[in-house]
Structure formats: C-alpha cells, structure tokens
C-alpha cells in the first residue's frame, strides 16, 4: 500500500529527486521513508481551493517545494527552519527549484505568534510530537478565509500507542494502552487533542485523511469557525472502556450515561482517552484521491471499504489467546458476513478486522 524505501548512500545525498522536486540534502534531515507521507499530502493539498501554506519544519524544504511545484492551487509557501545551516540548504533548494518564497530561520512558534503571519494550511512535521505546536499553529490559521487546514505528523508513536503511558498523559492529556488496537487508539488520541484545542478557538474539526504507517502517524484536518461547527465537533469526543479480562471494548461520548455492568459484570474497566470518536477520513476526499492516485489506489480502496466501527480485532492476537490457528483474514470476514454482521479489513493492520460482531461470537467462529 505504501512505497518501500531505505536509507540513502553518501553519493545519493548530493542530489535527489522526489516528485517534481530536485534537492540537495547536505547536512539537512531527509528521510526517504517519508516519501509516501509527502506524496499523500501533495495529493490531498491539490484537492483544496487556492491556499497559502506554511511548511513549518522545512529541513531540506522538500515538502514545501513539492507542494508549490505539484499543486497549482498553492499560491504561496512559507518555509520555516530553526537551524541556521539547514535553513541555508533549504533556501538553496527553494531557489534551484525556481520558487519565490520566504525561508524564515526561526522557531516556528515565534512566527506563529507574529500576528501578521496567517496561513490557510499549516503543516507540522517535527521530530516527535506535534502536540506542543498545535495551539500556536491553530492561532496562526487565516481568520478571514474558511476553511483552514492543519496537517500534522507524530513520530512519537510509542507514546500514542501506550508503550509510555505516563508520557501520553503528559503530552496529550490522554490515557493510551499498548494493545492490539493501539494504532487506531493513538490516531484517535491525536485527533482528540487537536479537536479540543480547536474548540478553544471556536473551530470545528473535520478529519480528511488520517493514517498510521511504520514509525509515524499523520492527520490532515479541516477547521471551520463558529459554534455551529465547534460544538458538533467537540461532541465527538469520548472515552473507550477496555476490559482486560474479556478484552471487550466499549466507547461512549463524553456526555453519555454509562452502564457497564450489563456488558461485563465483575470487571475493572480501563478507561482510555479522551479520544475522537468521529470519522477518521472524509469519504468524498478519499474518492477524489482514489480517482487521482496511481500509487496509492490500494490504500484508498482499503480505507473506503473500511466500515465505520471503532477499533479492530487483531486475528493473530485473538487466535493466540484462544490457542487456535488464525484463519485467513478474508475467510473470517466471509464467515462474519454469513451470520449477518458487518466486517472489513482495516488499513491500520493487515491482520485486523473491524466488525460489529460481539467478541464472544467472533471467538466462536475463528
Ligand atoms: C522531521 S524534520 C522535517 C522534515 C521535512 N518536513 C521533510 O518532509 O523532509 C524536522 C525539521 O524541523 C526543524 N525544527 C525543529 N524544531 C523546530 C522549530 N521549533 N521550529 C522550526 N523548525 C524546527 C529541524 O531542524 C528539522 O530540520
């Protein structure tokens, strides 16, 4: 579904081509494994109206250069890079790709706090967590143009996926769990964090494309101003309850009245979140991207076929727990369909199944 690329040799670092951009890397950070991440954002950005973009963590400038060269609707890109030597490399690349743009050598938060700097799209691609930049990034979005957009990468997947639970509580004010469904949980924690900050600005959030791949998670959200958007958006926040004894998951909106005794009498539930319980993608956007893309058709097709149920069961984990051998995923899905329940694969894991079949019944058919 995603392109597989490995690290570069010394000679390859001199001049590399990605999409329509040709850049020098020098001592700047460039990860060829993130080409898919840049490809997907280029595709999505190209679907928006005319926009100005802030490439907030520019490094070589590859991301912003591709946005300007490959998306005719991008009228202006501003590059920001905190490291002086790296900013010089970025400037050189911007110039050699014949782009007229400002490359600011400063901390992105300084630029965001400058009231004159306003962008229709802010792209955050830091090392580690984007959480500490979200508030300032949202405050720097255009006020006189609707909608605005935030794209963010998180490479602190171990934190979001619950391997470092305390770090997740500190960074995202949310409880995660290192469980088989942790990649979806992590994305929902990240989206939930953005939705809560957006609500403080009276903005509603609509996720356009969200995915987890390898060492990173990436979200692209649309933000719309006003109560009419902000309240329905923040109402999508809730909590996921997980029973460590029988592995049942239940999710509730923050304002729901919860009665768990009926589901699992004696269990001590682990409460995860707060999490975004709404959609992870916009289906119209997925359809447009699937139509346009040649390399990522399989990914978009999986996302489009993915049913809307929250989380997924990992068939190997489930079979291992039951001491059974895991059947073929497609065969299990078929068996679920025959019983009248819905089931689909998920882009989060090749071993995952999303279904509304109760876990006890699922355990009976695998
Ligand atoms: C992960 S790299 C960005 C990769 C790049 N976006 C790409 O797609 O190739 C992060 C870059 O952000 C820079 N950086 C780190 N903190 C920053 C900050 N607070 N403001 C601006 N740039 C920052 C780093 O020097 C580094 O070059």
């Amino acid at each position: 579904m995603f392109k597989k690329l490995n690290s570069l040799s010394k000679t390859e670092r001199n001049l590399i081509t990605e999409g329509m951009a040709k850049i020098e890397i020098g001592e700047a950070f460039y990860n060829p494994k993130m080409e898919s991440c840049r490809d997907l954002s280029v595709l999505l950005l190209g679907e928006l109206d005319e926009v100005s973009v802030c490439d907030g963590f520019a490094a070589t400038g590859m991301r912003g250069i591709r946005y300007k060269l490959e998306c005719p609707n991008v009228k202006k890109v501003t590059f920001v890079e905190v490291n002086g030597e790296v900013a010089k490399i970025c400037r050189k690349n911007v110039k050699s790709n014949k782009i007229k743009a400002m490359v600011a050598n400063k901390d992105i938060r300084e630029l965001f706090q400058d009231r004159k700097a306003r962008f229709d799209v802010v792209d955050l691609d830091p090392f580690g967590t984007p959480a500490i930049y979200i508030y300032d990034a949202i405050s720097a979005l255009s006020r006189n143009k609707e909608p605005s957009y935030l794209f963010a990468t998180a490479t602190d997947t171990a934190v979001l996926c619950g391997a470092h639970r305390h770090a997740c509580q500190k960074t995202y004010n949310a409880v995660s769990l290192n469980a088989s469904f942790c990649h979806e949980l992590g994305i929902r924690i990240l989206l939930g964090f953005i939705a809560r900050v957006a609500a403080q600005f009276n903005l509603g959030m609509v996720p356009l494309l969200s995915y987890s791949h390898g060492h990173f998670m990436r979200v692209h959200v649309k933000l719309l101003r006003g109560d009419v958007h902000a309240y329905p958006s923040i109402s999508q926040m809730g909590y996921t309850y997980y029973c460590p004894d029988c592995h049942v998951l239940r999710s509730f909106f923050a304002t729901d009245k919860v009665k768990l005794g009926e589901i699992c009498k004696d269990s001590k539930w682990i409460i995860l979140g707060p999490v975004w319980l709404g959609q992870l993608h916009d289906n119209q956007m997925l359809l447009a991207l699937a139509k346009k893309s040649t390399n990522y058709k399989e990914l978009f097709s999986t996302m489009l076929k993915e049913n809307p149920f929250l989380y997924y069961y990992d068939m190997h984990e489930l079979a291992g727990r039951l001491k059974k051998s895991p059947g073929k995923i497609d065969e299990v899905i078929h068996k679920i369909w025959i019983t009248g329940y819905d089931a689909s694969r998920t882009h989060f894991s090749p071993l995952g199944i999303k279904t509304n079949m109760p876990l006890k019944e699922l355990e009976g058919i695998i």
Side-chain angles (χ1 to χ4, degrees), residues 28-31 34 38 55-64 80-83 86 104 106-109 123 125-128 133 155:
F29 177 85
Y30 170 77
N31 186 353
M34 294 299 269
R38 287 180 286 267
D55 178 0
F57 295 79
T60 61
M62 179 60 102
R63 200 173 274 276
V80 190
E81 170 53 55
V82 75
N83 180 307
V86 176
K106 53 174 73 174
D107 188 310
I108 185 69
R109 286 165 289 194
D123 192 313
D125 188 30
F127 296 124
Y133 305 104
T155 56

PDB file of all heavy atoms in Angstrom, residues 28-31 34 38 55-64 80-83 86 104 106-109 123 125-128 133 155, ligand 1:
ATOM      1  N   ALA A  28      21.271  18.519   6.018  1.00  0.00           N
ATOM      2  CA  ALA A  28      19.880  18.636   6.480  1.00  0.00           C
ATOM      3  C   ALA A  28      19.260  17.254   6.668  1.00  0.00           C
ATOM      4  O   ALA A  28      19.749  16.261   6.124  1.00  0.00           O
ATOM      5  CB  ALA A  28      19.058  19.432   5.467  1.00  0.00           C
ATOM      6  N   PHE A  29      18.186  17.206   7.421  1.00  0.00           N
ATOM      7  CA  PHE A  29      17.494  15.936   7.652  1.00  0.00           C
ATOM      8  C   PHE A  29      16.603  15.631   6.453  1.00  0.00           C
ATOM      9  O   PHE A  29      15.814  16.464   6.017  1.00  0.00           O
ATOM     10  CB  PHE A  29      16.635  16.043   8.922  1.00  0.00           C
ATOM     11  CG  PHE A  29      15.829  14.807   9.197  1.00  0.00           C
ATOM     12  CD1 PHE A  29      16.381  13.738   9.886  1.00  0.00           C
ATOM     13  CD2 PHE A  29      14.520  14.705   8.744  1.00  0.00           C
ATOM     14  CE1 PHE A  29      15.642  12.588  10.127  1.00  0.00           C
ATOM     15  CE2 PHE A  29      13.777  13.560   8.981  1.00  0.00           C
ATOM     16  CZ  PHE A  29      14.340  12.500   9.677  1.00  0.00           C
ATOM     17  N   TYR A  30      16.752  14.422   5.922  1.00  0.00           N
ATOM     18  CA  TYR A  30      15.855  13.983   4.847  1.00  0.00           C
ATOM     19  C   TYR A  30      15.634  12.488   5.022  1.00  0.00           C
ATOM     20  O   TYR A  30      16.599  11.721   5.055  1.00  0.00           O
ATOM     21  CB  TYR A  30      16.459  14.274   3.467  1.00  0.00           C
ATOM     22  CG  TYR A  30      15.666  13.612   2.352  1.00  0.00           C
ATOM     23  CD1 TYR A  30      14.457  14.160   1.929  1.00  0.00           C
ATOM     24  CD2 TYR A  30      16.097  12.424   1.771  1.00  0.00           C
ATOM     25  CE1 TYR A  30      13.703  13.538   0.947  1.00  0.00           C
ATOM     26  CE2 TYR A  30      15.356  11.797   0.783  1.00  0.00           C
ATOM     27  CZ  TYR A  30      14.156  12.356   0.382  1.00  0.00           C
ATOM     28  OH  TYR A  30      13.403  11.731  -0.582  1.00  0.00           O
ATOM     29  N   ASN A  31      14.385  12.085   5.152  1.00  0.00           N
ATOM     30  CA  ASN A  31      14.083  10.670   5.344  1.00  0.00           C
ATOM     31  C   ASN A  31      13.344  10.136   4.123  1.00  0.00           C
ATOM     32  O   ASN A  31      12.175  10.470   3.900  1.00  0.00           O
ATOM     33  CB  ASN A  31      13.227  10.495   6.608  1.00  0.00           C
ATOM     34  CG  ASN A  31      13.004   9.028   6.941  1.00  0.00           C
ATOM     35  OD1 ASN A  31      13.377   8.149   6.152  1.00  0.00           O
ATOM     36  ND2 ASN A  31      12.402   8.761   8.082  1.00  0.00           N
ATOM     37  N   MET A  34       9.852   8.739   4.270  1.00  0.00           N
ATOM     38  CA  MET A  34       8.677   9.609   4.406  1.00  0.00           C
ATOM     39  C   MET A  34       8.160  10.082   3.047  1.00  0.00           C
ATOM     40  O   MET A  34       7.293  10.946   2.980  1.00  0.00           O
ATOM     41  CB  MET A  34       9.009  10.822   5.288  1.00  0.00           C
ATOM     42  CG  MET A  34       9.298  10.469   6.726  1.00  0.00           C
ATOM     43  SD  MET A  34       7.889   9.688   7.537  1.00  0.00           S
ATOM     44  CE  MET A  34       7.062  11.116   8.225  1.00  0.00           C
ATOM     45  N   ARG A  38       4.813  12.415   2.158  1.00  0.00           N
ATOM     46  CA  ARG A  38       4.771  13.656   1.362  1.00  0.00           C
ATOM     47  C   ARG A  38       3.860  13.483   0.151  1.00  0.00           C
ATOM     48  O   ARG A  38       3.064  14.364  -0.172  1.00  0.00           O
ATOM     49  CB  ARG A  38       6.200  14.066   0.948  1.00  0.00           C
ATOM     50  CG  ARG A  38       7.021  14.611   2.114  1.00  0.00           C
ATOM     51  CD  ARG A  38       8.427  15.016   1.699  1.00  0.00           C
ATOM     52  NE  ARG A  38       9.298  13.889   1.447  1.00  0.00           N
ATOM     53  CZ  ARG A  38      10.119  13.334   2.353  1.00  0.00           C
ATOM     54  NH1 ARG A  38      10.181  13.812   3.573  1.00  0.00           N
ATOM     55  NH2 ARG A  38      10.883  12.308   2.037  1.00  0.00           N
ATOM     56  N   ASP A  55       5.155  25.566   5.564  1.00  0.00           N
ATOM     57  CA  ASP A  55       5.914  24.330   5.790  1.00  0.00           C
ATOM     58  C   ASP A  55       6.726  24.597   7.054  1.00  0.00           C
ATOM     59  O   ASP A  55       7.824  25.145   7.005  1.00  0.00           O
ATOM     60  CB  ASP A  55       6.814  24.044   4.575  1.00  0.00           C
ATOM     61  CG  ASP A  55       7.666  22.790   4.768  1.00  0.00           C
ATOM     62  OD1 ASP A  55       7.565  22.157   5.833  1.00  0.00           O
ATOM     63  OD2 ASP A  55       8.446  22.458   3.853  1.00  0.00           O
ATOM     64  N   GLY A  56       6.162  24.220   8.185  1.00  0.00           N
ATOM     65  CA  GLY A  56       6.662  24.665   9.488  1.00  0.00           C
ATOM     66  C   GLY A  56       7.963  24.039   9.941  1.00  0.00           C
ATOM     67  O   GLY A  56       8.647  24.588  10.801  1.00  0.00           O
ATOM     68  N   PHE A  57       8.322  22.889   9.429  1.00  0.00           N
ATOM     69  CA  PHE A  57       9.553  22.198   9.836  1.00  0.00           C
ATOM     70  C   PHE A  57      10.260  21.782   8.552  1.00  0.00           C
ATOM     71  O   PHE A  57      10.283  20.619   8.173  1.00  0.00           O
ATOM     72  CB  PHE A  57       9.215  20.986  10.715  1.00  0.00           C
ATOM     73  CG  PHE A  57       8.596  21.381  12.023  1.00  0.00           C
ATOM     74  CD1 PHE A  57       7.259  21.733  12.103  1.00  0.00           C
ATOM     75  CD2 PHE A  57       9.370  21.446  13.174  1.00  0.00           C
ATOM     76  CE1 PHE A  57       6.691  22.131  13.299  1.00  0.00           C
ATOM     77  CE2 PHE A  57       8.813  21.842  14.377  1.00  0.00           C
ATOM     78  CZ  PHE A  57       7.469  22.189  14.442  1.00  0.00           C
ATOM     79  N   ALA A  58      10.856  22.766   7.885  1.00  0.00           N
ATOM     80  CA  ALA A  58      11.196  22.612   6.471  1.00  0.00           C
ATOM     81  C   ALA A  58      12.336  21.636   6.200  1.00  0.00           C
ATOM     82  O   ALA A  58      12.315  20.929   5.200  1.00  0.00           O
ATOM     83  CB  ALA A  58      11.527  23.978   5.890  1.00  0.00           C
ATOM     84  N   ALA A  59      13.383  21.612   7.033  1.00  0.00           N
ATOM     85  CA  ALA A  59      14.610  20.835   6.753  1.00  0.00           C
ATOM     86  C   ALA A  59      15.105  21.176   5.341  1.00  0.00           C
ATOM     87  O   ALA A  59      15.361  22.337   5.055  1.00  0.00           O
ATOM     88  CB  ALA A  59      14.373  19.349   6.968  1.00  0.00           C
ATOM     89  N   THR A  60      15.177  20.197   4.415  1.00  0.00           N
ATOM     90  CA  THR A  60      15.648  20.489   3.045  1.00  0.00           C
ATOM     91  C   THR A  60      14.662  21.357   2.267  1.00  0.00           C
ATOM     92  O   THR A  60      14.995  21.884   1.209  1.00  0.00           O
ATOM     93  CB  THR A  60      15.789  19.187   2.235  1.00  0.00           C
ATOM     94  OG1 THR A  60      14.491  18.572   2.178  1.00  0.00           O
ATOM     95  CG2 THR A  60      16.794  18.233   2.844  1.00  0.00           C
ATOM     96  N   GLY A  61      13.422  21.422   2.741  1.00  0.00           N
ATOM     97  CA  GLY A  61      12.366  22.142   2.023  1.00  0.00           C
ATOM     98  C   GLY A  61      11.587  21.227   1.089  1.00  0.00           C
ATOM     99  O   GLY A  61      10.668  21.668   0.395  1.00  0.00           O
ATOM    100  N   MET A  62      11.949  19.936   1.066  1.00  0.00           N
ATOM    101  CA  MET A  62      11.338  19.001   0.115  1.00  0.00           C
ATOM    102  C   MET A  62       9.812  19.065   0.115  1.00  0.00           C
ATOM    103  O   MET A  62       9.168  19.107  -0.937  1.00  0.00           O
ATOM    104  CB  MET A  62      11.801  17.572   0.432  1.00  0.00           C
ATOM    105  CG  MET A  62      11.213  16.512  -0.456  1.00  0.00           C
ATOM    106  SD  MET A  62      11.621  16.780  -2.190  1.00  0.00           S
ATOM    107  CE  MET A  62      12.935  15.609  -2.446  1.00  0.00           C
ATOM    108  N   ARG A  63       9.227  19.092   1.313  1.00  0.00           N
ATOM    109  CA  ARG A  63       7.768  19.053   1.422  1.00  0.00           C
ATOM    110  C   ARG A  63       7.144  20.292   0.766  1.00  0.00           C
ATOM    111  O   ARG A  63       6.330  20.188  -0.149  1.00  0.00           O
ATOM    112  CB  ARG A  63       7.401  18.984   2.913  1.00  0.00           C
ATOM    113  CG  ARG A  63       6.040  18.491   3.227  1.00  0.00           C
ATOM    114  CD  ARG A  63       5.914  18.318   4.738  1.00  0.00           C
ATOM    115  NE  ARG A  63       6.393  17.023   5.186  1.00  0.00           N
ATOM    116  CZ  ARG A  63       5.662  15.902   5.173  1.00  0.00           C
ATOM    117  NH1 ARG A  63       4.423  15.926   4.749  1.00  0.00           N
ATOM    118  NH2 ARG A  63       6.168  14.763   5.600  1.00  0.00           N
ATOM    119  N   GLY A  64       7.581  21.459   1.214  1.00  0.00           N
ATOM    120  CA  GLY A  64       7.001  22.707   0.699  1.00  0.00           C
ATOM    121  C   GLY A  64       7.305  22.917  -0.780  1.00  0.00           C
ATOM    122  O   GLY A  64       6.479  23.458  -1.524  1.00  0.00           O
ATOM    123  N   VAL A  80       9.855  27.374   7.185  1.00  0.00           N
ATOM    124  CA  VAL A  80      10.422  27.757   8.479  1.00  0.00           C
ATOM    125  C   VAL A  80      11.364  26.649   8.941  1.00  0.00           C
ATOM    126  O   VAL A  80      10.995  25.469   8.936  1.00  0.00           O
ATOM    127  CB  VAL A  80       9.321  27.975   9.547  1.00  0.00           C
ATOM    128  CG1 VAL A  80       9.919  28.595  10.801  1.00  0.00           C
ATOM    129  CG2 VAL A  80       8.201  28.843   9.003  1.00  0.00           C
ATOM    130  N   GLU A  81      12.573  27.053   9.313  1.00  0.00           N
ATOM    131  CA  GLU A  81      13.566  26.073   9.773  1.00  0.00           C
ATOM    132  C   GLU A  81      14.405  26.737  10.858  1.00  0.00           C
ATOM    133  O   GLU A  81      15.007  27.786  10.639  1.00  0.00           O
ATOM    134  CB  GLU A  81      14.435  25.618   8.584  1.00  0.00           C
ATOM    135  CG  GLU A  81      15.642  24.790   8.946  1.00  0.00           C
ATOM    136  CD  GLU A  81      15.351  23.565   9.819  1.00  0.00           C
ATOM    137  OE1 GLU A  81      14.520  22.727   9.443  1.00  0.00           O
ATOM    138  OE2 GLU A  81      15.969  23.462  10.900  1.00  0.00           O
ATOM    139  N   VAL A  82      14.445  26.102  12.026  1.00  0.00           N
ATOM    140  CA  VAL A  82      15.093  26.724  13.184  1.00  0.00           C
ATOM    141  C   VAL A  82      16.621  26.679  13.102  1.00  0.00           C
ATOM    142  O   VAL A  82      17.302  27.564  13.630  1.00  0.00           O
ATOM    143  CB  VAL A  82      14.586  26.060  14.499  1.00  0.00           C
ATOM    144  CG1 VAL A  82      15.189  24.683  14.715  1.00  0.00           C
ATOM    145  CG2 VAL A  82      14.820  26.950  15.702  1.00  0.00           C
ATOM    146  N   ASN A  83      17.161  25.679  12.412  1.00  0.00           N
ATOM    147  CA  ASN A  83      18.616  25.517  12.350  1.00  0.00           C
ATOM    148  C   ASN A  83      19.191  26.371  11.210  1.00  0.00           C
ATOM    149  O   ASN A  83      18.790  26.221  10.048  1.00  0.00           O
ATOM    150  CB  ASN A  83      18.918  24.023  12.134  1.00  0.00           C
ATOM    151  CG  ASN A  83      20.396  23.727  12.048  1.00  0.00           C
ATOM    152  OD1 ASN A  83      21.117  24.328  11.259  1.00  0.00           O
ATOM    153  ND2 ASN A  83      20.842  22.794  12.861  1.00  0.00           N
ATOM    154  N   VAL A  86      20.836  24.548   8.210  1.00  0.00           N
ATOM    155  CA  VAL A  86      19.811  23.806   7.456  1.00  0.00           C
ATOM    156  C   VAL A  86      18.940  24.790   6.672  1.00  0.00           C
ATOM    157  O   VAL A  86      18.576  24.537   5.514  1.00  0.00           O
ATOM    158  CB  VAL A  86      18.967  22.919   8.412  1.00  0.00           C
ATOM    159  CG1 VAL A  86      17.843  22.221   7.668  1.00  0.00           C
ATOM    160  CG2 VAL A  86      19.855  21.895   9.114  1.00  0.00           C
ATOM    161  N   ALA A 104      12.187  31.335   6.547  1.00  0.00           N
ATOM    162  CA  ALA A 104      12.447  32.002   7.826  1.00  0.00           C
ATOM    163  C   ALA A 104      13.306  31.100   8.699  1.00  0.00           C
ATOM    164  O   ALA A 104      12.956  29.935   8.910  1.00  0.00           O
ATOM    165  CB  ALA A 104      11.128  32.317   8.519  1.00  0.00           C
ATOM    166  N   LYS A 106      13.872  30.602  12.000  1.00  0.00           N
ATOM    167  CA  LYS A 106      13.443  30.868  13.374  1.00  0.00           C
ATOM    168  C   LYS A 106      12.635  29.699  13.913  1.00  0.00           C
ATOM    169  O   LYS A 106      12.276  28.781  13.153  1.00  0.00           O
ATOM    170  CB  LYS A 106      12.637  32.160  13.460  1.00  0.00           C
ATOM    171  CG  LYS A 106      11.462  32.258  12.501  1.00  0.00           C
ATOM    172  CD  LYS A 106      10.626  33.492  12.752  1.00  0.00           C
ATOM    173  CE  LYS A 106      11.307  34.760  12.291  1.00  0.00           C
ATOM    174  NZ  LYS A 106      10.471  35.937  12.399  1.00  0.00           N
ATOM    175  N   ASP A 107      12.361  29.757  15.193  1.00  0.00           N
ATOM    176  CA  ASP A 107      11.479  28.769  15.807  1.00  0.00           C
ATOM    177  C   ASP A 107      10.071  29.037  15.281  1.00  0.00           C
ATOM    178  O   ASP A 107       9.608  30.182  15.294  1.00  0.00           O
ATOM    179  CB  ASP A 107      11.528  28.929  17.338  1.00  0.00           C
ATOM    180  CG  ASP A 107      10.784  27.815  18.059  1.00  0.00           C
ATOM    181  OD1 ASP A 107       9.615  27.544  17.695  1.00  0.00           O
ATOM    182  OD2 ASP A 107      11.370  27.223  18.977  1.00  0.00           O
ATOM    183  N   ILE A 108       9.413  27.987  14.838  1.00  0.00           N
ATOM    184  CA  ILE A 108       8.090  28.135  14.232  1.00  0.00           C
ATOM    185  C   ILE A 108       7.116  28.874  15.160  1.00  0.00           C
ATOM    186  O   ILE A 108       6.263  29.639  14.708  1.00  0.00           O
ATOM    187  CB  ILE A 108       7.521  26.746  13.821  1.00  0.00           C
ATOM    188  CG1 ILE A 108       6.197  26.853  13.086  1.00  0.00           C
ATOM    189  CG2 ILE A 108       7.351  25.810  14.990  1.00  0.00           C
ATOM    190  CD1 ILE A 108       6.278  27.430  11.750  1.00  0.00           C
ATOM    191  N   ARG A 109       7.283  28.679  16.482  1.00  0.00           N
ATOM    192  CA  ARG A 109       6.337  29.307  17.417  1.00  0.00           C
ATOM    193  C   ARG A 109       6.470  30.823  17.398  1.00  0.00           C
ATOM    194  O   ARG A 109       5.509  31.547  17.595  1.00  0.00           O
ATOM    195  CB  ARG A 109       6.555  28.766  18.837  1.00  0.00           C
ATOM    196  CG  ARG A 109       6.025  27.351  18.965  1.00  0.00           C
ATOM    197  CD  ARG A 109       6.525  26.661  20.181  1.00  0.00           C
ATOM    198  NE  ARG A 109       7.940  26.335  20.070  1.00  0.00           N
ATOM    199  CZ  ARG A 109       8.575  25.497  20.864  1.00  0.00           C
ATOM    200  NH1 ARG A 109       7.942  24.904  21.840  1.00  0.00           N
ATOM    201  NH2 ARG A 109       9.855  25.243  20.700  1.00  0.00           N
ATOM    202  N   ASP A 123       1.450  23.034   8.032  1.00  0.00           N
ATOM    203  CA  ASP A 123       1.951  21.664   8.036  1.00  0.00           C
ATOM    204  C   ASP A 123       2.997  21.530   9.131  1.00  0.00           C
ATOM    205  O   ASP A 123       4.017  22.221   9.113  1.00  0.00           O
ATOM    206  CB  ASP A 123       2.569  21.335   6.664  1.00  0.00           C
ATOM    207  CG  ASP A 123       2.837  19.844   6.515  1.00  0.00           C
ATOM    208  OD1 ASP A 123       3.406  19.243   7.453  1.00  0.00           O
ATOM    209  OD2 ASP A 123       2.484  19.284   5.470  1.00  0.00           O
ATOM    210  N   ASP A 125       5.618  19.063  10.856  1.00  0.00           N
ATOM    211  CA  ASP A 125       6.325  17.798  10.618  1.00  0.00           C
ATOM    212  C   ASP A 125       7.569  17.742  11.512  1.00  0.00           C
ATOM    213  O   ASP A 125       8.698  17.677  11.023  1.00  0.00           O
ATOM    214  CB  ASP A 125       6.711  17.719   9.124  1.00  0.00           C
ATOM    215  CG  ASP A 125       7.277  16.358   8.744  1.00  0.00           C
ATOM    216  OD1 ASP A 125       6.887  15.352   9.361  1.00  0.00           O
ATOM    217  OD2 ASP A 125       8.127  16.313   7.828  1.00  0.00           O
ATOM    218  N   PRO A 126       7.350  17.799  12.831  1.00  0.00           N
ATOM    219  CA  PRO A 126       8.501  17.876  13.742  1.00  0.00           C
ATOM    220  C   PRO A 126       9.112  16.503  14.008  1.00  0.00           C
ATOM    221  O   PRO A 126       8.569  15.483  13.588  1.00  0.00           O
ATOM    222  CB  PRO A 126       7.865  18.410  15.028  1.00  0.00           C
ATOM    223  CG  PRO A 126       6.481  17.851  15.003  1.00  0.00           C
ATOM    224  CD  PRO A 126       6.074  17.761  13.549  1.00  0.00           C
ATOM    225  N   PHE A 127      10.225  16.494  14.706  1.00  0.00           N
ATOM    226  CA  PHE A 127      10.726  15.242  15.277  1.00  0.00           C
ATOM    227  C   PHE A 127       9.845  14.994  16.497  1.00  0.00           C
ATOM    228  O   PHE A 127       9.684  15.880  17.328  1.00  0.00           O
ATOM    229  CB  PHE A 127      12.176  15.406  15.755  1.00  0.00           C
ATOM    230  CG  PHE A 127      13.168  15.693  14.656  1.00  0.00           C
ATOM    231  CD1 PHE A 127      13.983  16.823  14.710  1.00  0.00           C
ATOM    232  CD2 PHE A 127      13.313  14.822  13.587  1.00  0.00           C
ATOM    233  CE1 PHE A 127      14.918  17.076  13.715  1.00  0.00           C
ATOM    234  CE2 PHE A 127      14.247  15.065  12.586  1.00  0.00           C
ATOM    235  CZ  PHE A 127      15.041  16.197  12.651  1.00  0.00           C
ATOM    236  N   GLY A 128       9.261  13.821  16.636  1.00  0.00           N
ATOM    237  CA  GLY A 128       8.479  13.517  17.845  1.00  0.00           C
ATOM    238  C   GLY A 128       7.063  14.043  17.779  1.00  0.00           C
ATOM    239  O   GLY A 128       6.392  13.940  16.754  1.00  0.00           O
ATOM    240  N   TYR A 133       3.008  22.237  19.450  1.00  0.00           N
ATOM    241  CA  TYR A 133       2.892  23.300  18.436  1.00  0.00           C
ATOM    242  C   TYR A 133       1.441  23.549  18.010  1.00  0.00           C
ATOM    243  O   TYR A 133       1.166  24.481  17.267  1.00  0.00           O
ATOM    244  CB  TYR A 133       3.712  22.925  17.186  1.00  0.00           C
ATOM    245  CG  TYR A 133       5.159  22.627  17.505  1.00  0.00           C
ATOM    246  CD1 TYR A 133       5.630  21.321  17.542  1.00  0.00           C
ATOM    247  CD2 TYR A 133       6.047  23.664  17.791  1.00  0.00           C
ATOM    248  CE1 TYR A 133       6.955  21.046  17.850  1.00  0.00           C
ATOM    249  CE2 TYR A 133       7.375  23.398  18.107  1.00  0.00           C
ATOM    250  CZ  TYR A 133       7.821  22.087  18.134  1.00  0.00           C
ATOM    251  OH  TYR A 133       9.121  21.821  18.447  1.00  0.00           O
ATOM    252  N   THR A 155       5.693  11.355  15.304  1.00  0.00           N
ATOM    253  CA  THR A 155       6.577  10.178  15.268  1.00  0.00           C
ATOM    254  C   THR A 155       6.769   9.610  16.678  1.00  0.00           C
ATOM    255  O   THR A 155       7.543   8.683  16.864  1.00  0.00           O
ATOM    256  CB  THR A 155       7.954  10.502  14.632  1.00  0.00           C
ATOM    257  OG1 THR A 155       8.539  11.575  15.344  1.00  0.00           O
ATOM    258  CG2 THR A 155       7.824  10.862  13.169  1.00  0.00           C
TER     259      THR A 155
HETATM  260  C1  LIG B   1      11.466  15.903  10.762  1.00  0.00           C
HETATM  261  S1  LIG B   1      12.396  17.199  10.108  1.00  0.00           S
HETATM  262  C2  LIG B   1      11.363  17.823   8.832  1.00  0.00           C
HETATM  263  C3  LIG B   1      11.367  17.017   7.599  1.00  0.00           C
HETATM  264  C4  LIG B   1      10.766  17.693   6.403  1.00  0.00           C
HETATM  265  N1  LIG B   1       9.481  18.307   6.690  1.00  0.00           N
HETATM  266  C5  LIG B   1      10.625  16.704   5.260  1.00  0.00           C
HETATM  267  O1  LIG B   1       9.488  16.306   4.903  1.00  0.00           O
HETATM  268  O2  LIG B   1      11.659  16.293   4.717  1.00  0.00           O
HETATM  269  C6  LIG B   1      12.239  18.454  11.314  1.00  0.00           C
HETATM  270  C7  LIG B   1      12.983  19.742  10.973  1.00  0.00           C
HETATM  271  O3  LIG B   1      12.424  20.779  11.775  1.00  0.00           O
HETATM  272  C8  LIG B   1      13.461  21.575  12.331  1.00  0.00           C
HETATM  273  N2  LIG B   1      12.919  22.104  13.604  1.00  0.00           N
HETATM  274  C9  LIG B   1      12.918  21.505  14.822  1.00  0.00           C
HETATM  275  N3  LIG B   1      12.285  22.280  15.719  1.00  0.00           N
HETATM  276  C10 LIG B   1      11.857  23.380  15.061  1.00  0.00           C
HETATM  277  C11 LIG B   1      11.129  24.541  15.452  1.00  0.00           C
HETATM  278  N4  LIG B   1      10.717  24.696  16.709  1.00  0.00           N
HETATM  279  N5  LIG B   1      10.842  25.470  14.509  1.00  0.00           N
HETATM  280  C12 LIG B   1      11.244  25.301  13.220  1.00  0.00           C
HETATM  281  N6  LIG B   1      11.964  24.234  12.794  1.00  0.00           N
HETATM  282  C13 LIG B   1      12.251  23.278  13.702  1.00  0.00           C
HETATM  283  C14 LIG B   1      14.634  20.634  12.490  1.00  0.00           C
HETATM  284  O4  LIG B   1      15.861  21.357  12.480  1.00  0.00           O
HETATM  285  C15 LIG B   1      14.474  19.711  11.278  1.00  0.00           C
HETATM  286  O5  LIG B   1      15.190  20.192  10.176  1.00  0.00           O
END
